[in-house]
Amino acid sequence: HPYGSRTDGFLPGCPAAGCVAWPSLEAAKAVCSQWSDCGGVTASREGGWFEPRARRVPLPSPAGEVSWVRTTNDEQCYGGLRGPWTQPPSQPNEAALAVSRAYTAVVDAALAETPALTRPRRPPREDGTIFVSIGAHRDPLCGATVRRAFARAARPERLSFGIVQHNCERACLNVTGGFGATRRYPPQLGADEDCVSAFCASPEGEPHCASGRVRILRLGEEEALGPIYSRFLASHLWRGETFFLQIDGHTDFRAGWDSALVRMARRTPSFPRSVLSNYPPEGSPASAAVWPRPTDAEERVERPA
């Protein structure tokens, strides 16, 4: 048997594949057995989720988590399940379903309280402008993203931003580090940095902000209802720009990115009813790395045969 008995505490650290929750102990153990860097499984006190974890020595858990330590890497079998576990079990996770239902109810209530959010929208303008939608939840790179987008655009005067920001203003905890190893968020000195205040006060940013091309809805972190709802709110900051770009608040841009995207969109067979989608390469808008303009071959969209 490759796992020890249930023990109190959590196993710190995540395997290279990440701390992914599974709906049953059997599924989590089967996955852990396939990963050489998995040290065992940690579960919530109620047993609503089960995560493969990296380390093998349990630490005390303030949340009452429990764990099963993996005792050997040789045996790849648990409960009759052999080989890589590539699909979750067919039985629904009741805890996950309960969370989904609660989230749907809260969002429906929020929409019902604000009828203006569901009104018909205006038609887009045909002036080549680009609306950039950002939903940022306590994102320290949001300001750098806005600054980099304007700085590296070929036509910055054609850009407009719609930002929904969820920040902590007081008694904040640092949510970007420490929790995986200690199960405690360390305190943060001061409030979160505002996404656009410094940019709008700068010589390069003030003209854009004064002209209304930078629009922001500031909300508290406790008012967040997830990225889908934040992006929905951001879409209502659109003012008829020709193109709509949705990004995260920690996105880097290459030189001439705006002109390149417009050319790519116009090349698609379905333009103007076309969607360009991708998972961008790793990078930081705060870095000093040079990212040159794309070549024609890089931005060309191939037509289907």
Side-chain angles (χ1 to χ4, degrees):
H1 201 289
Y3 293 88
S5 58
R6 168 175 161 162
T7 182
D8 292 337
F10 74 99
L11 300 175
C14 297
C19 289
V20 181
W22 293 83
S24 71
L25 177 60
E26 290 79 6
K29 284 183 175 181
V31 170
C32 184
S33 294
Q34 302 298 319
W35 296 344
S36 61
D37 59 345
C38 182
V41 174
T42 290
S44 63
R45 178 173 53 190
E46 300 81 10
W49 52 261
F50 301 83
E51 285 185 355
R53 307 287 295 184
R55 306 289 177 82
R56 296 174 182 267
V57 179
L59 298 178
S61 171
E65 293 160 300
V66 295
S67 297
W68 291 260
V69 177
R70 184 179 175 188
T71 57
T72 178
N73 290 325
D74 297 331
E75 177 59 50
Q76 298 289 317
C77 172
Y78 180 83
L81 299 176
R82 292 186 179 273
W85 189 268
T86 57
Q87 296 292 334
S90 59
Q91 294 299 318
N93 185 318
E94 289 302 325
L97 290 176
V99 170
S100 177
R101 295 188 190 103
Y103 173 81
T104 300
V106 171
V107 172
D108 286 346
L111 291 174
E113 292 175 2
T114 317
L117 292 179
T118 56
R119 290 175 183 168
R121 301 178 184 177
R122 68 191 77 187
R125 306 192 301 267
E126 295 298 332
D127 54 5
T129 50
I130 301 175
F131 176 76
V132 184
S133 166
I134 296 180
H137 184 273
R138 302 194 62 187
D139 198 322
L141 292 176
C142 182
T145 295
V146 175
R147 188 182 300 270
R148 179 62 60 83
F150 276 111
R152 290 189 172 174
R155 300 293 299 271
E157 74 280 1
R158 292 186 176 182
L159 302 184
S160 293
F161 277 78
I163 304 161
V164 174
Q165 170 183 276
H166 293 277
N167 270 5
C168 177
E169 300 297 333
R170 57 185 179 275
C172 302
L173 298 177
N174 184 344
V175 298
T176 60
F179 182 81
T182 66
R183 281 301 191 267
R184 290 181 174 84
Y185 290 122
Q188 174 178 293
L189 297 177
D192 293 332
E193 180 180 352
D194 188 82
C195 182
V196 299
S197 292
F199 176 72
C200 289
S202 67
E204 65 270 27
E206 192 277 333
H208 298 298
C209 299
S211 66
R213 293 196 292 270
V214 178
R215 310 156 202 148
I216 184 169
L217 173 62
R218 295 180 173 91
L219 301 171
E221 64 169 331
E222 71 281 357
E223 298 175 282
L225 292 175
I228 296 174
Y229 190 70
S230 292
R231 287 167 177 164
F232 168 72
L233 294 178
S235 73
H236 286 271
L237 299 175
W238 177 71
R239 296 294 179 267
E241 289 83 1
T242 310
F243 297 94
F244 191 109
L245 174 65
Q246 180 174 282
I247 62 172
D248 289 332
H250 41 271
T251 301
D252 198 9
F253 294 84
R254 69 189 309 167
W257 64 270
D258 53 331
S259 296
L261 285 178
V262 169
R263 288 193 298 270
M264 292 173 68
R266 292 188 183 279
R267 282 174 171 169
T268 57
S270 57
F271 184 81
R273 295 177 176 84
S274 42
V275 175
L276 303 179
S277 177
N278 85 314
Y279 196 94
E282 184 177 357
S284 169
S287 73
V290 176
W291 198 359
R293 294 176 182 272
T295 65
D296 182 72
E298 286 179 308
E299 68 178 56
R300 182 170 295 279
V301 177
E302 298 296 334
R303 294 177 180 269

